[in-house]
Amino acid sequence: IVIAGRREPSPAVFAEPPLKPEMFPLPPALPGPPCTDLAAEITRRNLSAGALLCNFISHINHSEGSNFYSLYGLPPQRLNALRQHRLGQFPEQQQTDLEWLQRIPKAELHCHLGGILTPREIIAVAEHSQTELADLCRQNPDLAAWQEQIRASVSARDTQSLRFWFKHKDELRRAVKDVPEPFCLIAFVLAFQKNPDLLERLIYHDYPDEVSFQGIGIENYERLGDLQGSGLLQNENCLRAACQILIRYCLHENITYLELRCSPVNYTRGGLSGEKVTEILLQELQPCRSTHFSLLFIASRHGRMSDVYRQIELTAAMLDHPTLGEDFRHRFVGFDLAGAEHSRSTRELREAFSSLHKRCLNITIHAGETAPADSVWEAVYFLNADRIGHGLTLEDNPNLINLILNRRIAIEMCPSSNFQICSFWDAFITQSASNKTYPLQKYLQQGLRVSICTDNPGISSTTLSREYLKAARLCPGGLSQWDTLRLCRNAFQASFAPFAIRREILRKAEKHISEILEKNDY
C-alpha cells in the first residue's frame, strides 16, 4: 500500500519494528465489518514520524547532546513538560521524584563489589557461613570464647571495646590464632544479629547523619567498608550471598545493565584463587535475566606494584583460560585503576598497563576526584582512558575538557560519594560544609558524556535512583526530567558492553521509557 509516495528514510526517525502480515490477520469470515488495524497503524506511524522529525530538528540542542530518540516523537507540550519539571528542588517532592526515578530503566557503570552491602546486609551475608563457623567453634574453643566475648560486648552495648576491633581491621581478621579468614570477622559480625542498629552505629559513629557525612576524605571513606569487600568476601558462601543481594537490588532499582568492579586477587586470603573468585561471580551473575552484568577488574594505586601486576596477570590468565575463557570474555569488559590518587602517579603505571593496551581492552581510571586536573590529563595521555571515574577537578582545565569532549571520553560521576569525600553545596542541607558547586551541570551544558553512578551503594547508604536525586540536589535549580533522561541514556551509550549487546539494551530501555511516558506516568 503506497500511502504517501516514495521517500528516503530520515536518519532522525526512530526505527520501529517492521510491519508483518501475521501482525494483522484478516477477519475469520467475509463479508463482515472492515478491518482497519493496518490502516490505523500506518496512520499512527506517519504522525509519529512527522512529530519525531519536527521535534528532533526544533528541540535538539547539538551542543548539549541528544536524548532518547523516541522522546522526540512526543507532542511538543509533553517535551516542554519534561524540560520544565525539575527534580531536587523541594524536599516535600522527594518521594514522588524517587518513585519516578525508580521506574526508569538505568545503567550502572561504576559500582564496586567491595562496597555494595549495607550494615544489615553485611549480617545477612555472614549468616550464610553460620554452619561453617559453628564447626570451627567446636574445633577451636578459643574462637568460641572470643565470639562469646564479642556477644557480651554487644549485649552490654560496650561500643568502646567494639570500636577497637572495628578500627583495627588487621587484628580483627586474625583475632584468634589458626582461624582461617574470614571467620573471625564473620564471628564478629554475627554477634550483631539481634542488634543490627548497633553495627550501623559502630560503622558510622563519626558520621551519624547526612550533615556530618560530608568532606571526610577518601581514606576515612574507604575505612567504612572494612567489614565487607576484601574482609568478609574471602569465603565462597559470602561471595555468592553478596551477588544475590546485588541481583535483588538491581531488580528493585530497575537497573538493566551493571558493570561490577572487583579485584579477585584481593579475595584470596581465605583459600580461594583469583580464578575461583571470578568463576563464582560468573556463576552467580550470568544467569540473571533482569540485569545484564559485566565485569571490570581493578588495580589499586596504593599498595605494592606486585599486586597491580598480579591483577593484570589474572586478567590475561582468565582471557586465555581453557574452560572459563569463553564465559569470561563474554562478561569481562575492561580494566580500572582505583585508590587514592596521591599514592601513585599513572605515569608510573604506564608500562604495567601496556599488556592491557595490546589486548585492546577498555580502560577506565579514577582521576580528578581528590587530585588536580593534571590527574585526569595523565589518565588520558599515559593510560589511554576511555572513561574517567569522578573527574571533579576536570572543570579547572578547559583545554582538557575540549579534548575529552572531542574524544567522547565518558565521565562517571558518583554524587553521594563525591559529596561525602569532597563536600559540595546541597540544596537540602542548610549546614553544608562547602560552597563549592558540583560540576555536573557545567559538564552537561558543555556536552560531556556524563553518567550517574553509585560507587559504593552500601557504604554511601544510597541507591542508583537516589544518586540521580542527589545529583539534582547538588545542582542549583535542580535537574529537569529531560536532563535526567539524558544522563540515563549517556550511561547506556558509554557502557563497555559489546556493540550488539549495548544496542539491544539501549533499545529495550528506549521502549520501556516510551511506555512510561505514553501512560503520562511522570
Side-chain angles (χ1 to χ4, degrees):
I1 302 174
V2 179
I3 58 171
R6 296 187 180 277
R7 51 176 135 171
E8 292 297 319
S10 167
V13 175
F14 177 68
E16 296 192 59
L19 299 177
K20 297 180 179 180
E22 57 266 25
M23 296 168 62
F24 303 96
L26 291 173
L30 292 173
C35 180
T36 59
D37 292 352
L38 176 59
E41 176 62 14
I42 291 172
T43 300
R44 185 195 70 79
R45 291 196 179 199
N46 264 338
L47 291 173
S48 177
L52 175 60
L53 185 58
C54 175
N55 284 328
F56 194 90
I57 294 171
S58 61
H59 285 273
I60 190 169
N61 182 337
H62 291 283
S63 65
E64 70 175 21
S66 61
N67 214 318
F68 288 102
Y69 288 156
S70 60
L71 299 184
Y72 298 98
L74 296 171
Q77 64 269 25
R78 297 280 300 281
L79 263 176
N80 290 333
L82 288 174
R83 289 184 178 275
Q84 291 168 8
H85 184 95
R86 306 193 78 78
L87 311 176
Q89 282 191 301
F90 308 106
E92 63 274 14
Q93 190 179 304
Q94 186 167 223
Q95 188 57 40
T96 303
D97 291 344
L98 274 175
E99 290 172 0
W100 182 79
L101 288 165
Q102 281 182 323
R103 287 194 292 271
I104 295 172
K106 296 175 284 293
E108 163 72 282
L109 305 184
H110 191 131
C111 178
H112 293 270
L113 174 63
I116 63 173
L117 303 176
T118 65
R120 291 176 185 271
E121 288 168 345
I122 290 173
I123 296 172
V125 166
E127 286 173 345
H128 283 76
S129 293
Q130 282 188 106
T131 302
E132 293 172 275
L133 177 64
D135 290 341
L136 284 172
C137 285
R138 283 191 289 270
Q139 298 167 20
N140 190 329
D142 291 341
L143 176 60
W146 182 78
Q147 186 181 31
E148 283 305 314
Q149 177 188 337
I150 298 299
R151 283 176 175 162
S153 296
V154 171
S155 297
R157 303 185 82 83
D158 181 4
T159 55
Q160 184 174 355
S161 63
L162 293 171
R163 280 186 64 77
F164 167 81
W165 291 111
F166 178 72
K167 283 187 172 183
H168 299 83
K169 64 177 182 180
D170 292 333
E171 285 84 349
L172 173 57
R173 293 171 182 177
R174 298 185 294 270
V176 181
K177 188 178 179 181
D178 297 329
V179 174
E181 289 197 43
F183 286 99
C184 287
L185 196 150
I186 288 172
F188 180 82
V189 167
L190 290 178
F192 294 85
Q193 280 178 291
K194 297 180 180 179
N195 295 276
D197 61 312
L198 184 59
L199 181 61
E200 187 167 354
R201 285 178 53 195
L202 182 68
I203 294 172
Y204 295 101
H205 177 269
D206 297 323
Y207 320 111
D209 53 38
E210 196 174 15
V211 175
S212 60
F213 194 10
Q214 60 175 309
I216 68 173
I218 191 166
E219 288 84 2
N220 289 330
Y221 177 84
E222 288 179 339
R223 286 191 202 102
L224 300 176
D226 282 350
L227 290 184
Q228 54 179 301
S230 56
L232 182 63
L233 304 185
Q234 302 288 336
N235 169 278
E236 180 172 347
N237 289 338
C238 292
L239 265 174
R240 293 188 185 278
C243 288
Q244 291 304 311
I245 286 174
L246 181 61
I247 290 171
R248 291 194 293 273
Y249 159 73
C250 289
L251 183 62
H252 180 265
E253 284 293 298
N254 204 4
I255 298 171
T256 57
Y257 178 81
L258 185 142
E259 292 179 3
L260 184 63
R261 302 178 183 219
C262 59
S263 300
V265 296
N266 292 344
Y267 296 79
T268 57
R269 294 195 308 273
L272 298 173
S273 66
E275 288 84 354
K276 183 61 178 178
V277 171
T278 307
E279 181 183 0
I280 291 168
L281 296 176
L282 291 173
Q283 288 174 350
E284 293 297 320
L285 300 176
Q286 191 161 296
C288 181
R289 294 186 177 182
S290 58
T291 305
H292 183 96
F293 288 96
S294 296
L295 290 180
L296 285 162
F297 280 175
I298 309 172
S300 183
R301 288 182 172 92
H302 56 272
R304 299 169 297 185
M305 274 298 297
S306 59
D307 291 334
V308 174
Y309 278 105
R310 283 178 64 205
Q311 191 60 66
I312 292 174
E313 289 163 2
L314 175 63
T315 303
M318 290 303 305
L319 288 170
D320 300 330
H321 199 286
T323 56
L324 296 175
E326 184 175 351
D327 287 344
F328 180 72
R329 287 189 295 273
H330 182 65
R331 294 288 169 170
F332 180 74
V333 294
F335 203 91
D336 176 32
L337 178 67
E341 293 167 81
H342 60 77
S343 299
R344 181 174 282 116
S345 166
T346 50
R347 185 192 302 262
E348 301 173 56
L349 295 162
R350 189 172 189 174
E351 182 178 349
F353 270 62
S354 63
S355 64
L356 301 172
H357 293 144
K358 288 177 181 177
R359 286 181 177 267
C360 302
L361 297 180
N362 298 304
I363 302 293
T364 177
I365 305 294
H366 286 61
E369 182 180 16
T370 57
D374 285 351
S375 177
V376 181
W377 184 92
E378 291 183 354
V380 172
Y381 278 93
F382 292 141
L383 298 185
N384 298 323
D386 301 291
R387 294 201 314 242
I388 296 294
H390 307 298
L392 303 176
T393 58
L394 172 62
E395 63 174 336
D396 299 333
N397 189 334
N399 292 330
L400 187 56
I401 287 179
N402 289 333
L403 175 76
I404 285 179
L405 182 61
N406 291 334
R407 291 192 182 182
R408 299 180 65 77
I409 296 171
I411 311 296
E412 311 152 357
M413 301 190 78
C414 308
S416 286
S417 73
N418 295 158
F419 175 80
Q420 291 156 356
I421 292 170
C422 303
S423 185
F424 291 93
W425 174 88
D426 185 321
F428 289 9
I429 298 179
T430 57
Q431 302 176 43
S432 178
S434 173
N435 290 322
K436 290 187 299 181
T437 301
Y438 197 55
L440 169 62
Q441 213 163 36
K442 181 178 180 180
Y443 292 170
L444 277 174
Q445 290 167 354
Q446 292 171 317
L448 290 175
R449 187 182 287 185
V450 183
S451 64
I452 298 300
C453 313
T454 58
D455 203 358
N456 299 280
I459 295 175
S460 288
S461 300
T462 190
T463 64
L464 189 52
S465 299
R466 290 185 179 278
E467 286 305 277
Y468 276 91
L469 184 59
K470 183 70 171 180
R473 290 170 50 177
L474 295 177
C475 294
L479 282 175
S480 67
Q481 288 181 319
W482 178 265
D483 282 339
T484 302
L485 291 170
R486 272 182 61 205
L487 289 166
C488 181
R489 182 173 184 265
N490 285 347
F492 283 107
Q493 284 196 312
S495 79
F496 286 159
F499 175 76
I501 294 175
R502 184 168 68 247
R503 181 177 59 182
E504 179 62 15
I505 293 171
L506 183 58
R507 186 192 67 78
K508 288 180 178 178
E510 181 116 33
K511 184 172 184 274
H512 190 178
I513 287 172
S514 296
E515 291 169 352
I516 292 172
L517 296 179
E518 282 175 6
K519 294 176 182 176
N520 248 344
D521 202 3
Y522 71 100

